[in-house]
Amino acid sequence: PIAEPSRMPAPAVSDTKLTMEVKSSLSADAELKAADLSVETHDGRVTLKGKVPDGAARDRATQLAASVTGVGAVDNQLTVGR
């Protein structure tokens, strides 16, 4: 599923900076920091890949990524399982 943040577009931020900020946000979460996650960004669209323990963690990853200023969309390809 793709989450579209419901706010006005932010000024352009480099994809590299967005990737770093999303990774930082995810690693600050107690459950997500232990997960093996990959973050890729292209033209402000963040793609999350990897495995998380449950659906709640998957949803939280989308919310955290979407909350980073400059992210235009989040494509959550995370799978659930241990």
Side-chain angles (χ1 to χ4, degrees):
I2 297 174
E4 300 287 341
S6 59
R7 61 181 183 270
M8 296 298 294
V13 178
S14 80
D15 289 339
T16 301
K17 184 170 192 231
L18 286 176
T19 297
M20 290 184 340
E21 290 182 10
V22 170
K23 284 182 176 180
S24 175
S25 180
L26 296 174
S27 68
D29 182 273
E31 195 168 16
L32 293 173
K33 73 179 177 183
D36 183 21
L37 304 180
S38 163
V39 178
E40 297 175 10
T41 308
H42 183 70
D43 293 334
R45 179 187 180 102
V46 174
T47 301
L48 304 175
K49 295 181 181 178
K51 190 178 277 193
V52 292
D54 54 41
R58 186 177 190 279
D59 293 343
R60 194 164 53 261
T62 299
Q63 293 168 349
L64 289 170
S67 72
V68 172
T69 300
V71 171
V74 178
D75 181 7
N76 187 333
Q77 299 180 14
L78 297 173
T79 57
V80 174
R82 293 210 179 257

